[in-house]
Amino acid sequence: MAPLLRIFLAVLTAACLAPPAARAQLQIQITSGVTNPVPIAVVPFAEAPTDGTDVADVVQHDLVGSGRFTALARDRMPARPTSAADVKFADWKGAGSDYMVVGQVTPAANGQLAVDFNLLNTLTGQSIARQRFLGTAAALRNAAHRVSDVVYRAITGIRGAFATRIAYVAVAGAGAAQQFQLVIADADGYNQHLILQSRFPIMSPAWSPDGQWIAYVSFENHLSAVYVQRVLTGQRTRVSMRAGINGAPAWSPDGHKLVLTLSGDSGHPQIYILDLSTQHLTRITHSPAINTEAVWAPDGRSIYFTSDRAGEPQIYRIGIAPGSSPQRITFTDEYNAGPHVSPDGKLLAMVTRDDGGNYRIAVQNLASGEFKVLTHGRLDQSPSFAPNGATIMYAERPGRGQAGILATISVDGLTGLSLKPTQGEVRDPAWGPFTH
Amino acid sequence: MSEPARDRWLSIGMSVLLHGSLVALLAIGWWHFRSRPPAPSVPIDATVVDARTLKGVGTASTPAPKPKPAPPAQPPQQVPPPEPQMEGPPPPTPDEMAMREQAAKLEAQHEAEAQQELLARQQAAEAQRKAEAAAAEQAAQARKAEEAKAAAQAKKLAEAKKAAEATKLAEARKKAEAKLAAEKKAAEEKKLAEERQAAADRAARLADLQQSLQEEERAQAARAASGALASWQSQITSRIQNAWIKPPTAQPGILCVLNVSLVPGGSVTGVSIGQCNGDDAVRQSIQTAVYNASPLPPPPNGIPFPRQLIITFKPTT
Amino acid sequence: MYRRTLVLILLAGCLGLAACASKPPKPSAASQSQASQSGAGAESQGAEGGANANGGPFGNQNSVPGPQEGMLAKRTVYFDFDSSVIKGDGTDIVAAHAKYLSDHADARVRLEGNTDERGSPEYNIGLGMRRAQAVRQALLLQGASAGQITVVSYGAEHPVDPAHDESAWAKNRRVDIVYLTPNAPPAPPAQ
């Protein structure tokens, strides 16, 4: 283009950009925000049923426990509306809640209950989410957790995991009267169901991907054996009782295989894959060390496991395909064990021992290698990711005189909760999958 | 001791009985244990089976089947008498025979004549065909000769034409080239003239614009000297930033534009989402942020409150 | 009269015996119970708390007291933290049991490896097994045969002292030697 033409165009552009004197057109750009908890009001639902489940209370407890919400106290609520039509938004603006949940529990057909709720933005006056859950009175807590899931997702963008279940081992008594129990409960610790009881240790429960089966290790024959048990019926099958160690079962993402630790009578513990339909065993590791605690990556193509082939235990990854060689993953601290992969495959949770000899839960970003210690205990163990990857449950052994409890920590390390048993101690938690 | 003889015999008898039964017992017992075989150590509940009683067991040879006895000769059956045949037409009379003969002769004659005619016709047709073929051939040959002549003539003509055309073309080309060259020259000259003119125009306009720009700059400088506009802008920005509770899904790469309606007091009266690639949680959060930042701080003196604001959410962390 | 009655009674008794004598003797049923299916059945109760010769609080339906002379009465071998090297008088204890096993081919033992409660549970199963294997190797080298020894690891799941301090941990880092019924069948083979 001729040089004079270029100058002409440049000048024109400059002229257009110069703000005309008449209009002040303001452009604002927001590049950051805050990560405070979202203020929400969960208004008590109409007609709470007689079994004592307060749906709004369960929802509030779920949301606040996640660390991402603060809830308005009931005595500061300006009113108790139970449907959107009843809400006078002007009254609620002063209360400081950005969102509110209103709802009702009403009888439905076949002796069931209907839980209706509406999530409203108090500032815009709009309804964000509105749904009905039907169920029996016994399942009312589950309906409340479903409400929490919807509210959580609408406001944080993350799928809620409040309506999921956990499995854990409970130990009561001591000496000859000691009892080991395998228990399934809601993720908040309620609705416990005993699925195995024994005088001998039970370890390492692992949920199948569809939530129908649990694999575990039992010493009921004075020797270790791996069982799989159907959760609904209690029907169980022993899948391995070979000489030596039978341990650390974990399900493949397609639910057809188990990865196991087997040692034989005189060998070192090695990782094997057992095909549950063909009973075919494939050996994965071949090193003269302790190789155990294998878990699958969510794409089903590699396995993470603990190995002390380098001296102290560290975490390695190996591909499923034959001929793969293991690759060391952890390099921070001298002791890293008990791996568990997040559902999106991006984070690895583990037990790490720091320089002070404290065993704590840490997460490592598998892409960047960034390593972050999340907990602050002395003897933390057995991390297990929630199926939405937002929280990790683990076993905490507090100081002397205190029994083991379960605890959760958010993945950003900011929010923690404890689940204390009423008696005895609990350990070895396994967080179940989404079931709806 | 004195006892009657009877008693003594009774005593002897009973004694004998007693001793005898004892001896008998011993004998029986001894005989029992000798004759009873030891119980088998492995209890088998089985009975011995005679293989011959099993059906279908193949090793025993089955006797060869006896040949079937010849069927007994049957007495010859009585053959039924043949059925009587249907009656045919009565045989012809001699007159009729003669008439038939004549007719037959006539027919034969007719046939022979017909055949001869056919033959003659065929021959005639054949001869005609041959004549036609010959004629056609001749005609064809004559045509060929003519065509050859015509072709030769045409060729000559064409060649002459070509030559003429070629010369014409060459001339025309020369003419065209000359024309083009002339036109180009003219156009170039025109362009140059126009450019000069445009440049002159531009220079004039530039002078004008520069003047107005300078005026604008002076005005802006006046405003900017106090820093009011910039600070008002950053006031609003930080107000909204502090009010924006970022959901975890508001990651770098998200870009959402809000059109905000204001009233002069600075209160937000309406919000509408323009272009936005965020999920529902992001959309809720930005609307909530703006409402929570409302009412916006008033602008500095001299600047009227805008009725519309465009707020762009573009997280960088 | 009196004598006659007596003889008659005697005669009747002899005839009765004759009737009985014709029955064959019953075979005695001796059943061998296998150890693989444990259930609610007869489980002997071990002593409360503390490691003892019979393997602690589980009780063992197959365990027997075993030899008690001198060193043989000691059934526990201890280890340092993160180590599978037999320490202290553990080597003498192992030597004594090895000699006993070598002299008594029908004797059977189960070696139970344990760790303290620190660290990851399944990794501790591996550590306990490493300790039990160390004792097994030492026994084999000193005269025991492989068929006499079963090995199991309880990791951190079977502590003798549930406290959370170093003295308890030291007591838990151990291998227990449990004598089983002589000639007891070996551990169940690969399933």
Side-chain angles (χ1 to χ4, degrees):
Chain A
M1 221 186 283
L4 282 172
L5 194 57
R6 248 182 257 156
I7 296 174
F8 174 48
L9 283 173
V11 166
L12 258 183
T13 321
C16 290
L17 285 180
R23 296 177 298 136
Q25 174 73 271
L26 205 55
Q27 303 268 353
I28 306 284
Q29 192 168 71
I30 308 295
T31 56
S32 68
V34 295
T35 52
N36 300 341
V38 173
I40 193 169
V42 186
V43 182
F45 281 32
E47 293 167 57
T50 52
D51 85 332
T53 299
D54 183 340
V55 172
D57 185 59
V58 173
V59 173
Q60 180 167 320
H61 192 259
D62 283 344
L63 295 174
V64 172
S66 73
R68 297 194 185 273
F69 293 84
T70 58
L72 186 66
R74 286 188 179 181
D75 53 11
R76 290 187 46 213
M77 291 183 183
R80 301 283 179 101
T82 58
S83 72
D86 298 342
V87 179
K88 296 199 183 115
F89 289 99
D91 295 345
W92 287 86
K93 286 205 167 92
S97 297
D98 291 350
Y99 304 92
M100 59 191 294
V101 180
V102 297
Q104 308 171 16
V105 180
T106 50
N110 300 330
Q112 292 197 317
L113 294 174
V115 178
D116 292 284
F117 78 98
N118 204 331
L119 171 65
L120 309 164
N121 184 320
T122 55
L123 299 163
T124 65
Q126 287 172 342
S127 166
I128 303 169
R130 189 179 167 188
Q131 226 173 321
R132 159 180 281 211
F133 294 111
L134 273 176
T136 61
L140 200 55
R141 279 194 78 92
N142 182 259
H145 290 310
R146 300 281 302 267
V147 173
S148 306
D149 282 345
V150 173
V151 172
Y152 188 84
R153 185 169 205 167
I155 297 176
T156 68
I158 302 174
R159 188 169 173 187
F162 301 107
T164 54
R165 295 200 292 180
I166 58 175
Y168 58 89
V169 175
V171 185
Q178 201 171 37
Q179 283 287 331
F180 294 82
Q181 298 177 332
L182 184 58
V183 179
I184 289 181
D186 292 350
D188 61 0
Y190 282 76
N191 285 335
Q192 298 167 16
H193 293 284
L194 181 63
I195 68 167
L196 183 72
Q197 182 154 289
S198 171
R199 296 198 305 110
F200 303 88
I202 306 170
M203 287 176 76
S204 308
W207 290 85
S208 66
D210 63 3
Q212 301 286 321
W213 297 82
I214 291 197
Y216 54 86
V217 177
S218 168
F219 285 85
E220 63 198 65
N221 306 295
H222 293 278
L223 303 167
S224 61
V226 174
Y227 292 80
V228 295
Q229 181 165 331
R230 192 179 265 284
V231 172
L232 268 177
T233 62
Q235 162 216 346
R236 68 175 191 158
T237 312
R238 192 171 66 200
V239 296
S240 178
M241 194 169 100
R242 294 165 167 84
I245 294 175
N246 298 269
W251 298 77
S252 61
D254 67 2
H256 296 320
K257 306 190 198 74
L258 278 181
V259 66
L260 295 176
T261 299
L262 302 173
S263 74
D265 220 343
S266 57
H268 298 272
Q270 306 288 353
I271 311 285
Y272 290 78
I273 294 180
L274 173 69
D275 187 312
L276 285 168
S277 41
T278 66
Q279 294 299 306
H280 183 65
L281 259 187
T282 309
R283 183 166 165 174
I284 299 292
T285 59
H286 296 80
S287 75
I290 295 175
N291 302 285
T292 184
E293 298 178 335
V295 289
W296 296 74
D299 66 0
R301 290 199 290 216
S302 54
I303 281 176
Y304 293 87
F305 65 98
T306 304
S307 176
D308 63 0
R309 60 187 68 193
E312 289 276 13
Q314 298 288 347
I315 297 173
Y316 291 74
R317 174 176 57 215
I318 186 168
I320 298 290
S324 309
S325 53
Q327 186 194 359
R328 182 168 161 178
I329 301 293
T330 54
F331 296 89
T332 314
D333 291 340
E334 278 189 6
Y335 181 114
N336 292 291
H340 197 244
V341 189
S342 64
D344 64 4
K346 293 186 183 165
L347 294 177
L348 187 69
M350 67 191 82
V351 180
T352 189
R353 185 180 70 209
D354 64 18
D355 295 335
N358 299 302
Y359 292 84
R360 292 181 172 162
I361 307 300
V363 280
Q364 177 164 326
N365 185 309
L366 287 166
S368 69
E370 181 196 339
F371 189 88
K372 185 172 176 182
V373 179
L374 298 182
T375 64
H376 311 280
R378 279 202 323 141
L379 287 171
D380 298 337
Q381 293 170 356
S382 311
S384 177
F385 268 99
N388 66 358
T391 316
I392 294 171
M393 187 172 289
Y394 63 98
E396 197 181 300
R397 292 198 187 199
R400 49 177 82 192
Q402 290 170 287
I405 61 174
L406 298 183
T408 59
I409 184 79
S410 58
V411 154
D412 57 14
L414 296 177
T415 309
L417 288 179
S418 305
L419 288 93
K420 292 192 174 76
T422 45
Q423 57 176 14
E425 72 160 42
V426 286
R427 56 171 84 146
D428 251 339
W431 209 316
F434 287 121
T435 48
H436 63 89
Chain B
M1 139 178 62
S2 67
E3 44 184 42
R6 197 167 48 106
D7 279 355
R8 197 170 66 184
W9 280 112
L10 202 60
S11 305
I12 290 173
M14 290 185 85
S15 166
V16 167
L17 243 151
L18 182 64
H19 288 87
S21 61
L22 274 171
V23 170
L25 268 175
L26 277 167
I28 290 169
W30 175 75
W31 176 74
H32 240 139
F33 277 102
R34 263 202 69 171
S35 68
R36 180 168 286 269
S41 55
V42 180
I44 298 175
D45 193 12
T47 49
V48 179
V49 175
D50 184 352
R52 286 168 293 173
T53 64
L54 291 175
K55 295 188 191 159
V57 177
T59 53
S61 59
T62 52
K66 294 193 197 135
K68 286 204 188 129
Q74 288 178 343
Q77 287 179 343
Q78 270 204 327
V79 179
E83 290 176 8
Q85 286 184 343
M86 297 293 289
E87 280 192 19
T93 60
D95 284 350
E96 209 170 317
M97 298 271 307
M99 263 174 51
R100 280 203 199 154
E101 264 184 50
Q102 234 185 11
K105 269 194 199 148
L106 222 81
E107 235 184 275
Q109 235 182 14
H110 284 302
E111 236 190 271
E113 282 170 10
Q115 266 198 359
Q116 274 184 357
E117 233 187 87
L118 192 64
L119 203 64
R121 249 184 273 147
Q122 276 184 347
Q123 283 177 346
E126 185 85 48
Q128 208 184 0
R129 245 183 279 134
K130 275 193 184 146
E132 282 180 12
E137 235 192 82
Q138 272 187 0
Q141 279 183 352
R143 244 181 285 139
K144 264 195 190 154
E146 273 187 35
E147 280 180 17
K149 257 199 209 165
Q153 272 187 358
K155 231 184 180 179
K156 276 197 199 144
L157 261 168
E159 281 178 14
K161 247 194 187 173
K162 258 193 195 165
E165 278 187 25
T167 43
K168 255 198 203 166
L169 255 168
E171 285 180 12
R173 229 181 278 151
K174 276 199 198 140
K175 270 197 196 160
E177 278 179 16
K179 213 183 183 186
L180 253 167
E183 282 183 4
K184 248 191 184 171
K185 256 199 192 160
E188 275 183 17
E189 286 178 5
K190 207 181 182 189
K191 233 192 191 177
L192 263 166
E194 283 183 1
E195 277 188 21
R196 265 179 245 136
Q197 178 65 29
D201 289 350
R202 263 178 265 143
R205 259 178 267 153
L206 192 65
D208 286 349
L209 268 168
Q210 277 183 344
Q211 231 188 0
S212 55
L213 243 177
Q214 278 173 359
E215 284 173 11
E216 192 61 55
E217 274 178 26
R218 267 178 248 134
Q220 238 196 78
R223 274 180 255 136
S226 65
L229 182 68
S231 92
W232 185 48
Q233 210 164 359
S234 69
Q235 256 186 311
I236 297 181
T237 303
S238 65
R239 183 84 155 250
I240 298 177
Q241 271 179 185
N242 289 333
W244 185 31
I245 298 181
K246 254 190 359 167
T249 47
Q251 293 292 323
I254 295 294
L255 177 73
C256 288
V257 178
L258 274 186
N259 296 302
V260 180
S261 308
L262 301 171
V263 289
S267 299
V268 173
T269 54
V271 158
S272 83
I273 302 179
Q275 160 204 354
C276 180
N277 63 356
D279 64 6
D280 290 343
V282 170
R283 288 163 187 250
Q284 282 300 316
S285 70
I286 59 180
Q287 297 176 69
T288 303
V290 167
Y291 274 105
N292 271 325
S294 168
L296 296 179
N301 285 335
I303 305 174
F305 219 119
R307 288 310 187 98
Q308 286 282 326
L309 267 187
I310 296 181
I311 305 183
T312 307
F313 288 81
K314 194 177 176 193
T316 53
T317 52
Chain C
M1 250 336 236
Y2 169 70
R3 212 180 282 172
R4 237 177 278 166
T5 330
L6 193 62
V7 175
L8 273 169
I9 291 169
L10 262 172
L11 203 61
C14 287
L15 288 171
L17 267 172
C20 293
S22 60
K23 276 196 201 147
K26 276 194 195 138
S28 62
S31 50
Q32 291 284 337
S33 55
Q34 291 295 316
S36 51
Q37 281 300 323
S38 83
E43 300 268 10
S44 59
Q45 298 292 320
E48 300 261 348
N52 61 11
N54 286 343
F58 293 157
N60 292 286
Q61 71 185 44
N62 274 350
S63 69
V64 298
Q68 300 289 336
E69 307 78 37
M71 213 42 129
L72 290 172
K74 295 195 178 171
R75 302 294 172 78
T76 306
V77 175
Y78 293 96
F79 298 82
D80 282 333
F81 176 61
D82 208 25
S83 162
S84 53
V85 172
I86 304 168
K87 76 172 190 176
D89 62 352
T91 42
D92 297 330
I93 298 173
V94 170
H97 286 285
K99 181 162 194 323
Y100 181 86
L101 286 171
S102 155
D103 292 341
H104 299 83
D106 61 346
R108 299 281 179 273
V109 292
R110 180 170 61 231
L111 304 178
E112 300 178 351
N114 297 272
T115 68
D116 65 41
E117 64 177 346
R118 292 176 287 177
S120 197
E122 286 279 1
Y123 180 72
N124 284 336
I125 294 280
L127 277 180
M129 180 58 88
R130 196 180 265 166
R131 288 175 178 151
Q133 295 286 3
V135 173
R136 176 175 180 271
Q137 270 303 104
L139 288 173
L140 291 177
L141 283 170
Q142 297 177 80
S145 63
Q148 294 178 288
I149 303 172
T150 310
V151 181
V152 68
S153 170
Y154 292 123
E157 308 300 302
H158 187 197
V160 297
D161 189 341
H164 306 289
D165 53 28
E166 178 55 48
S167 78
W169 295 337
K171 288 189 212 140
N172 293 329
R173 293 191 295 266
R174 72 196 192 282
V175 171
D176 290 325
I177 302 172
V178 178
Y179 275 82
L180 303 175
T181 312
N183 287 322
Q191 167 214 359

